[in-house]
Amino acid sequence: MKIGFMQGRLSPIIDGKIQSFPWTNWQNEIQQASDNNLNFIEWTLDYKDLYLNPILTPEGVQEINKLKEKNNISIPSLTGDCFMQEPFWKASLDKRNKLQNDFINILYGCSKVNISIIVIPLVDNGTIENYEQETILHSFLSSNRELFKKLSIRVCFESDFSPKKLAKFISNYDHHTFGINYDTGNSAALGFNPIEEFDLYGKRIMNIHIKDRLYKGYTVPLGYGDTDFDTVFDLIKKYNYTGNLVLQTARSENHDHLAVLLKYFKEVKRLAIKYNLNLTSYNES
């Protein structure tokens, strides 16, 4: 298990968005992560200018791999905000075919930089609203299981379904290729009980986003919201979770993004040590 951060958290806020791809600073983030002993970065991918993103250009792939090697930084996962912004499971047939082709191209791009987990956000604009949308999503992803295996990529769903509904949803997907991205803040904002969540699908969790949110509210600094971190970390230990912990935390109000990220890193490290989680490496400073 390692602690890393969501790409963009060390970059200036763009258009007031808490999260977006840092077009002018992504190279610097890799260097900063290395300089501060941060373990890894989870890539972010927006739909706007999709094919200009470095993971989808030959030159970008080459640069990413060089920077990873030079700085000893891994990029094990990707959050596909693009899928939430333009969900193929909600699109008309012609547009759906285009978006599904985009999905396949993203898979190949991920494989070229050794990204092994793709997070599909079924929240906000991407939330599944009916059985037809659920069927379209399942049919497409299931039909590409062999491609996922060939490229050594797994898919994690981040969902706003109730715990029981999410447990039923994920039961329809292959255990080895598909799992759940557990978001500590989103669950708190929705009023879900972590004990019930882990009891229903704890063994299917493949990736965890760490943040704090108020019940029915927004992201706030760690410790200022309604996320029960002690219970969550106790459950992480109980269910033998061995994936990564990704800081998708609140942004700095005074724009000192590095300082606030390192503060959160230390808070999460403290919890991990408190609950005897097996961290393969962490910031000693």
Side-chain angles (χ1 to χ4, degrees), residues 50-87:
L50 177 67
Y51 286 96
L52 297 180
N53 191 285
I55 69 163
L56 290 171
T57 70
E59 300 81 9
V61 166
Q62 185 176 34
E63 186 174 9
I64 291 168
N65 287 328
K66 284 183 177 179
L67 287 169
K68 284 172 57 183
E69 182 177 2
K70 176 183 176 182
N71 295 285
N72 194 29
I73 289 291
S74 62
I75 305 175
S77 51
L78 172 146
T79 283
D81 286 340
C82 54
F83 308 130
M84 176 177 63
Q85 294 155 358
E86 292 287 348

Side-chain angles (χ1 to χ4, degrees), residues 1 198 202-203 234-243 277:
M1 186 185 300
F198 274 76
K203 295 296 184 181
D234 187 39
L235 291 164
I236 288 173
K237 177 67 175 179
K238 178 181 177 181
Y239 284 83
N240 299 311
Y241 173 76
T242 58
L277 302 184

Side-chain angles (χ1 to χ4, degrees), residues 3-160:
I3 304 170
F5 67 97
M6 184 69 62
Q7 187 181 45
R9 286 310 195 269
L10 290 179
S11 297
I13 296 173
I14 302 172
D15 297 331
K17 299 176 183 177
I18 193 171
Q19 182 168 303
S20 60
F21 180 75
W23 289 100
T24 62
N25 198 54
W26 68 269
Q27 298 99 327
N28 292 335
E29 281 202 333
I30 295 176
Q31 178 69 58
Q32 273 194 295
S34 177
D35 291 345
N36 290 277
N37 298 316
L38 294 165
N39 297 150
F40 69 87
I41 298 172
E42 181 164 300
W43 202 263
T44 59
L45 191 61
D46 294 313
Y47 195 77
K48 183 180 179 181
D49 296 324
L50 177 67
Y51 286 96
L52 297 180
N53 191 285
I55 69 163
L56 290 171
T57 70
E59 300 81 9
V61 166
Q62 185 176 34
E63 186 174 9
I64 291 168
N65 287 328
K66 284 183 177 179
L67 287 169
K68 284 172 57 183
E69 182 177 2
K70 176 183 176 182
N71 295 285
N72 194 29
I73 289 291
S74 62
I75 305 175
S77 51
L78 172 146
T79 283
D81 286 340
C82 54
F83 308 130
M84 176 177 63
Q85 294 155 358
E86 292 287 348
F88 66 79
W89 50 96
K90 293 186 175 183
S92 60
L93 187 57
D94 287 344
K95 187 175 182 180
R96 187 189 313 157
N97 290 333
K98 163 61 166 72
L99 294 173
Q100 289 175 338
N101 185 62
D102 292 339
F103 189 102
I104 298 300
N105 289 333
I106 291 167
L107 286 180
Y108 281 105
C110 286
S111 71
K112 293 173 184 175
V113 295
N114 293 320
I115 289 173
S116 59
I117 290 178
I118 292 181
V119 178
I120 299 180
L122 304 177
V123 298
D124 298 329
N125 189 55
T127 191
I128 291 179
E129 300 167 314
N130 54 54
Y131 179 73
E132 180 184 8
Q133 293 173 6
E134 186 173 342
T135 301
I136 290 169
L137 178 68
H138 183 271
S139 176
F140 173 73
L141 294 178
S142 296
S143 68
N144 283 287
R145 277 180 298 183
E146 293 306 313
L147 180 59
F148 291 129
K149 292 177 182 178
K150 174 186 175 183
L151 299 178
S152 298
I153 291 176
R154 295 178 293 168
V155 171
C156 288
F157 300 104
E158 182 175 314
S159 172
D160 55 10

